[in-house]
Amino acid sequence: MDLQALRAAGRPSLATRHALLAVPFAMIALVTVGDVLAPPDVHLGPFLAAAPAVTASFRGPRATGFIGAVAVLAQVVVAAVRSSVTDLNHTFQIITLVLISVFVTLFAHLREVHEKELVQLRSVAEAAQQVVLRPLRERLGPLRVASVYLAAAADAQIGGDLYAAARTAQGTRLIIGDVRGKGLEAVGDAALVLGAFRAAAHQEADLPGLVDYLERAVAPDLDQAPGAGLDDTAGRTPGPDHDTAPHSPSPSNDLSEAFITAAVLDIPDRGQALQLVNCGHPPPLLLRGNRVIPLEVDQPAPPLGLSDLAESQLAAQGFPFEPGDILLLYTDGVLEARDEAGAFYPLAERAAAWNGTGPSALLSHLRGDLLAHTPTGTLDDDAAMVAIERLRPPAQRGAAHP
C-alpha cells in the first residue's frame, strides 16, 4: 500500500468530499436569502460562520479559505441590500466573519499537516512490518502455511509478537514468540529474535542448539533493560506463560519484564512427525479431524532471556504430524481476548467447531470470530496466529480426489 492509498484509507473519497462541498454553499445561500427577507430587527449573518467551520472538517485550507471568502462576500451583499456596508452592525459582522474564517482556515491547515504526518508514520510502520515481520510463503516444501497479525495499538502495523519460517535441507523450521512489553522496545526485541533465528536456522544441526543460540543472542540485549542485574530477583522461577511469570513488585525492578516466550519447531519434509522446544509459550494446537490436541511438552524451557534465573536442560520433544493435519501456532493475545462478561476467548473450542479446509480458511474464520468475541472489535494485546498444514503426497491426493 503506497502513501496515496494510505491517505485515501483515512479520509472520505474525492467524490464524497466534492459532494459534501455543496453543504456549505447551501448554508450560505439559505442564510443570505433568509437574512435579506428577514425583518429589519432580525440578523442572520452570524450563522454564515458555520459554513467555513463545517468545510474545515472535511477539506483542506484552500477550500476552507474559499468558502470563508464566499461567506464574507455574502455578508457584504446582505449589508448592501438591507442598509449599508458601513452600517455599524454589519461592519462588525463582516469583521467577525473574516476573523473566524482566518482561524478555521488555519486550523484546517494544521489538521492537514497532522494528517500527512500520520500517513507517513503508517507508511513507515508498514515498511517496518515488511522488513521485521516478513510475510510467510504459502508453500514451504510439503507444508501449506498461512499467518495473521493483529496489532493492539491503534493504527499500528507491528508490535511485540513475532513469527518466522526458514527452509533447511531437511525440512522447515518455524518460530512464534511474544515479547514481554509493548511499544518500540518490544518491536526492537522482536527484530532481534527474528534476526537471530534467521541467522542460525540453517547453521544449528538440532533444535536445542538453535534455541540455545537464540538465548545467547537475546540475553545480552535484555540485560541492558532498566533494573537488570538487581539481586532481588534471585530465587524466582518463571512460570510457563505471562500469567504466571514473575511480576515486578516495584518500578526499580524490571528484569522480570525483559523476556520473550517462544515455541520453536522443526518439521522434516520426510516422515510424519515434528520436533518442538517450548520456551514458556502457549502450546501449539494440532487439528486432526474434529479433534484439537494441545502439544504439551514434558520439559518446557524458560522464556528466552531468563535462563540465568531458571536452569533447564533444553530438549526437543516429538509429536505426530500426519498428512491432512493442521498445526495452529498462536500468541497469548488470542487467549486473553475477553467478551463483555470478561470470559477469555476459547480458542481450542472454536477451532474444534471449525469444519472448513486449509490453513487460510482456518485463520480467516478465527480472526473474524476473535474480533467478534470482543465488545469493541479490537484487542487489548497484540495477537498472531500461524497455521501449517502437512499436505498429502501427490499419490494420496490423487486417490482422495479422483
Side-chain angles (χ1 to χ4, degrees):
M1 184 180 295
D2 58 17
L3 189 61
Q4 294 299 328
L6 285 168
R7 293 187 65 181
R11 63 191 303 181
S13 65
L14 183 62
T16 301
R17 287 185 288 128
H18 282 326
L20 289 175
L21 201 57
V23 174
F25 279 115
M27 294 173 62
I28 293 173
L30 289 175
V31 172
T32 301
V33 173
D35 204 3
V36 170
L37 300 178
D41 57 339
V42 176
H43 298 278
L44 304 179
F47 291 102
L48 289 172
V54 169
T55 307
S57 66
F58 62 90
R59 291 297 295 265
R62 293 184 179 179
T64 302
F66 177 73
I67 292 295
V70 173
V72 172
L73 179 61
Q75 182 64 65
V76 172
V77 171
V78 170
V81 171
R82 297 194 60 170
S83 58
S84 171
V85 176
T86 59
D87 178 77
L88 185 61
N89 183 38
H90 288 111
T91 299
F92 275 103
Q93 290 187 36
I94 293 172
I95 294 175
T96 303
L97 184 56
V98 169
L99 293 177
I100 292 176
S101 299
V102 170
F103 279 125
V104 296
T105 300
L106 176 61
F107 289 142
H109 169 71
L110 295 176
R111 180 186 58 80
E112 189 173 68
V113 170
H114 176 72
E115 182 183 71
K116 290 180 179 179
E117 292 175 350
L118 180 59
V119 168
Q120 291 175 350
L121 289 175
R122 289 178 177 176
S123 180
V124 170
E126 181 168 322
Q129 183 187 39
Q130 297 297 324
V131 173
V132 177
L133 197 63
R134 302 173 189 170
L136 301 180
R137 289 186 293 169
E138 294 183 3
R139 285 293 301 271
L140 296 169
L143 307 178
R144 185 161 54 184
V145 182
S147 61
V148 62
Y149 191 101
L150 300 172
D155 299 320
Q157 300 291 329
I158 185 171
D161 290 7
L162 59 99
Y163 53 77
R167 286 287 294 161
T168 67
Q170 291 76 32
T172 302
R173 286 179 169 175
L174 300 105
I175 183 174
I176 187 166
D178 186 0
V179 177
R180 182 73 175 188
K182 297 180 180 180
L184 293 178
E185 290 185 2
V187 176
D189 291 338
L192 177 67
V193 175
L194 292 173
F197 173 80
R198 291 165 182 150
H202 303 278
Q203 301 175 5
E204 298 295 335
D206 59 4
L207 208 56
L210 172 58
V211 175
D212 182 63
Y213 180 94
L214 297 178
E215 171 64 31
R216 288 184 283 112
V218 168
D221 184 78
L222 296 183
D223 285 343
Q224 304 303 317
L230 296 177
D231 293 335
D232 58 357
T233 57
R236 298 186 181 183
T237 302
D241 53 38
H242 287 183
D243 292 333
T244 57
H247 293 278
S248 173
S250 67
S252 62
N253 176 21
D254 293 331
L255 178 59
S256 60
E257 299 295 334
F259 64 85
I260 302 165
T261 67
V264 187
L265 303 94
D266 193 349
I267 306 177
D269 289 346
R270 298 181 180 275
Q272 299 183 11
L274 61 83
Q275 296 290 316
L276 169 65
V277 174
N278 194 323
C279 302
H281 199 74
L285 300 179
L286 183 69
L287 280 65
R288 178 175 295 162
N290 294 326
R291 293 187 298 160
V292 175
I293 307 169
L295 302 187
E296 300 272 6
V297 298
D298 297 330
Q299 299 180 10
L304 300 176
L306 293 182
S307 61
D308 291 342
L309 302 180
E311 295 294 336
S312 176
Q313 186 69 29
L314 291 176
Q317 184 168 336
F319 295 93
F321 186 38
E322 303 173 358
D325 291 347
I326 295 181
L327 184 67
L328 178 61
L329 313 177
Y330 55 95
T331 60
D332 61 3
V334 178
L335 300 178
E336 294 174 356
R338 297 174 182 262
D339 61 12
E340 294 182 352
F344 292 109
Y345 181 70
L347 177 61
E349 176 184 329
R350 299 298 173 84
W354 176 71
N355 57 4
T357 57
S360 295
L362 171 63
L363 292 191
S364 178
H365 167 76
L366 291 178
R367 181 184 186 277
D369 189 58
L370 175 64
L371 296 179
H373 179 79
T374 63
T376 61
T378 58
L379 303 179
D380 294 330
D381 192 11
D382 298 331
M385 292 183 286
V386 178
I388 307 106
E389 178 184 17
R390 184 186 285 276
L391 299 176
R392 301 182 185 277
Q396 294 185 19
R397 292 202 299 267
H401 301 282

